[in-house]
Amino acid sequence: MEENDMDKLNINGQMQQEFGRKIYKSQSDSILCEIIEDDVSIDKADFIGANNPKYSTETGLYTIGKQFIRLRDCTFRNFKGCAGLRVGCTVGTHSTFTASDLLFLSNKIGFLSEERGEYVVIANSQFNGNQIAARIHGGNVQLTNCMINDNINGIEILGGSNDSHGIISNCQVNHNSGIALLIDGISNGETITSCHFYDCTIYIKNTINKPVRFNNCVIAGKLIIENSAKVIFSNCFFPRGYGLLDSIISNTIVEGKNNEVEEKEIEKVFNTK
């Protein structure tokens, strides 16, 4: 972090310097660091929570209504109350937050985009051991080139004002013990491309208006798709096993084109056109 950027943070907790990194440690049920001005760059910083679920609002780094925020090579660890990284309402700003090379480890929620927490890009990052790796209420959010493995829930894309219409791309989403991808109540659709979902459950429900689209993905798991607008799979590979034959599709149109499905019993579900 540049020295002049320190004045653009509100810090509640300890801060120390070690091996060229800044380390922020939470000491209370509060927001550890809040970005209070536009145009902030934070590099090589570690945000450490109290590891206490009783701290229900504890957050590592928070920004609301600010833009041109850059974050690189940072860690968010042990925020058991709320989230490691949290982005609040950004209505009226279209260049809010770009981040890369982050590590989210052992948090209640690794990354939280609140309602209208929009125009966020997280790239080249790892999510591991979180209850929920990423929960996204805001629209126009991108996760790209991320490793999202060994969490309980992986990615949650949830309804809200101007929700969804984001992109999940080139991500590895493996061995999440709960739901690897949950899409619930969105109204503007979502694009998931070139991702590998392995040993997983994907759950899509209560979407309206616009389709959810999967393109060039590997889906090794069970699908639950219910009470939703159209879901489209194209150029995807569905390997044998992993619960695919136990999939549940109800009250939803599923369209498919150019997919490879090793479970021939349900190949027609994913090659409808």
Side-chain angles (χ1 to χ4, degrees):
M1 181 187 300
E2 299 293 337
E3 291 301 324
N4 60 354
D5 280 333
M6 290 290 294
D7 296 334
K8 298 179 180 181
L9 284 183
N10 182 21
I11 301 171
N12 297 303
Q14 291 183 340
M15 195 277 282
Q16 65 189 64
Q17 189 91 22
E18 186 175 311
F19 304 117
R21 303 182 70 85
K22 288 184 169 61
I23 302 172
Y24 301 89
K25 292 185 177 180
S26 176
Q27 296 177 297
S28 63
D29 192 3
S30 62
I31 295 168
L32 176 57
C33 296
E34 181 177 355
I35 297 172
I36 55 177
E37 294 187 29
D38 292 340
D39 192 14
V40 173
S41 179
I42 300 174
D43 291 351
K44 298 184 183 303
D46 299 323
F47 301 86
I48 311 299
N51 202 30
N52 190 338
K54 293 191 294 185
Y55 285 177
S56 61
T57 63
E58 187 189 42
T59 298
L61 180 65
Y62 179 54
T63 176
I64 181 168
K66 305 305 175 186
Q67 58 181 334
F68 308 118
I69 310 301
R70 289 93 62 207
L71 193 63
R72 187 178 65 86
D73 189 13
C74 296
T75 297
F76 299 88
R77 185 192 307 260
N78 292 336
F79 291 93
K80 302 297 189 185
C82 186
L85 172 60
R86 181 175 151 209
V87 178
C89 179
T90 55
V91 173
T93 60
H94 298 122
S95 181
T96 57
F97 198 105
T98 57
S100 66
D101 302 295
L102 308 184
L103 172 62
F104 298 89
L105 184 64
S106 299
N107 304 289
K108 180 179 180 180
I109 302 173
F111 163 61
L112 172 61
S113 157
E114 296 180 331
E115 189 165 349
R116 296 308 299 258
E118 301 190 29
Y119 292 95
V120 177
V121 178
I122 295 182
N124 306 322
S125 297
Q126 297 185 52
F127 299 76
N128 191 275
N130 305 282
Q131 292 182 43
I132 301 165
R135 173 174 282 173
I136 300 169
H137 289 274
N140 305 291
V141 173
Q142 294 187 33
L143 297 179
T144 185
N145 298 331
C146 292
M147 301 292 286
I148 304 170
N149 304 318
D150 295 305
N151 305 281
I152 297 177
N153 280 11
I155 305 166
E156 297 183 352
I157 303 170
L158 306 179
S161 175
N162 199 46
D163 60 45
S164 53
H165 61 294
I167 298 172
I168 312 296
S169 65
N170 302 303
C171 292
Q172 198 85 23
V173 191
N174 291 356
H175 303 296
N176 297 283
S177 62
I179 299 173
L181 174 62
L182 171 66
I183 299 177
D184 184 2
I186 67 171
S187 56
N188 294 305
E190 188 77 7
T191 300
I192 301 101
T193 184
S194 300
C195 292
H196 189 157
F197 297 91
Y198 177 80
D199 190 21
C200 71
T201 297
I202 293 175
Y203 192 7
I204 302 171
K205 62 178 180 175
N206 303 324
T207 71
I208 60 174
N209 296 333
K210 307 296 185 184
V212 173
R213 301 173 183 271
F214 293 81
N215 181 55
N216 194 36
C217 293
V218 175
I219 300 175
K222 176 181 178 179
L223 297 170
I224 305 173
I225 304 173
E226 55 188 17
N227 304 316
S228 290
K230 188 182 295 183
V231 180
I232 302 172
F233 297 91
S234 58
N235 304 299
C236 293
F237 174 54
F238 298 84
R240 183 176 290 107
Y242 306 105
L244 185 63
L245 286 176
D246 297 320
S247 295
I248 300 168
I249 300 174
S250 64
N251 196 29
T252 305
I253 296 173
V254 172
E255 289 187 359
K257 184 177 181 181
N258 297 327
N259 297 300
E260 182 180 351
V261 186
E262 290 190 336
E263 301 283 11
K264 299 305 180 183
E265 299 94 319
I266 57 174
E267 181 181 23
K268 63 181 180 181
V269 173
F270 302 103
N271 283 305
T272 55
K273 288 192 173 182

